Structure formats: C-alpha cells, structure tokens
Amino acid sequence: MEEKKSTTQDIEQVLREIGEKIEELVKKGADAGMDAKEDIEKKIQELRDNKTTLEAEFKKGKELLERELRERSEDLKPKLEESKGLFKEGLKQIGLAFKTLFSKK
C-alpha cells in the first residue's frame, strides 16, 4: 500500500512540476517578441489542456483504485474473521493435546 501511495505522490509531484513549467513559459512568453509570443502562447495553451487531461485521468484512476481496494477489503473481511476463529480453535486444540499428553504421566 505504501508503494501505491508513493506512486500517487510521484504522479502528483509530476503534475505540480508541469504546472510550474507552464508558469515559467508564461513568464518567458511575456518577454518574447510578438511572433514568438503567439507561438509560445499556443504551446502554453496546449500544455495546459494536456495537464488538465492528465489530472482528470489521474483522478479517475485514483478513484478506481480506491474503490477496488474498498471492495477487495470488504470481500476479504469475512474470510479473515473466519480464519481468525479457526486459528484460535487450532491453538486451543494444541493446548488441550499438550495438556492431555503431560497429564497422563
């Protein structure tokens, strides 16, 4: 689970860096000449659109992963409870076996 969080954090960091690069380009575009400025603004708009798309896809993927995790944990919870009961019963039987084994002598 830590690996998933780490991956999520890495993706969020990349998206932040993309936003910072876009802002950098905006500042450079302001200093550029008129012709270059139009090209830069066009590229900046394309980058912003792509960033928005990436963020939306990331959000969908994150929600899907969280829903899948919840569903899996809900499916496994009854099985874990049953296994816990069986494990306790097994330990109890082992204890009774040792008690019987040592009390006969």
Side-chain angles (χ1 to χ4, degrees):
M1 182 129 167
E2 287 181 30
E3 184 176 319
K4 290 178 187 173
K5 284 185 180 177
S6 176
T7 303
T8 302
Q9 291 170 347
D10 290 344
I11 292 171
E12 289 173 344
Q13 178 62 31
V14 168
L15 291 172
R16 276 193 294 276
E17 289 173 5
I18 290 171
E20 291 170 3
K21 295 290 183 183
I22 290 171
E23 293 306 315
E24 241 179 79
L25 287 173
V26 168
K27 289 177 186 174
K28 287 181 182 179
D31 296 336
M34 194 58 162
D35 293 335
K37 188 174 184 177
E38 289 176 9
D39 289 340
I40 290 173
E41 287 177 0
K42 182 180 175 184
K43 289 289 184 185
I44 289 171
Q45 187 58 44
E46 289 174 8
L47 288 170
R48 282 186 176 146
D49 293 343
N50 288 338
K51 181 179 182 264
T52 303
T53 303
L54 285 171
E55 287 173 336
E57 290 297 318
F58 173 69
K59 185 177 178 181
K60 282 187 220 175
K62 187 176 178 181
E63 289 170 357
L64 179 66
L65 180 63
E66 288 172 350
R67 185 176 63 236
E68 183 73 23
L69 181 62
R70 275 193 310 273
E71 289 172 2
R72 298 252 182 203
S73 65
E74 288 171 4
D75 290 345
L76 291 177
K77 192 172 183 177
K79 292 177 184 176
L80 288 173
E81 289 298 319
E82 180 183 355
S83 294
K84 186 170 93 173
L86 293 173
F87 182 73
K88 285 181 179 180
E89 183 62 29
L91 287 177
K92 182 179 173 184
Q93 292 297 322
I94 290 173
L96 290 173
F98 278 119
K99 185 176 179 181
T100 302
L101 180 68
F102 291 119
S103 67
K104 295 231 177 184
K105 288 189 174 187

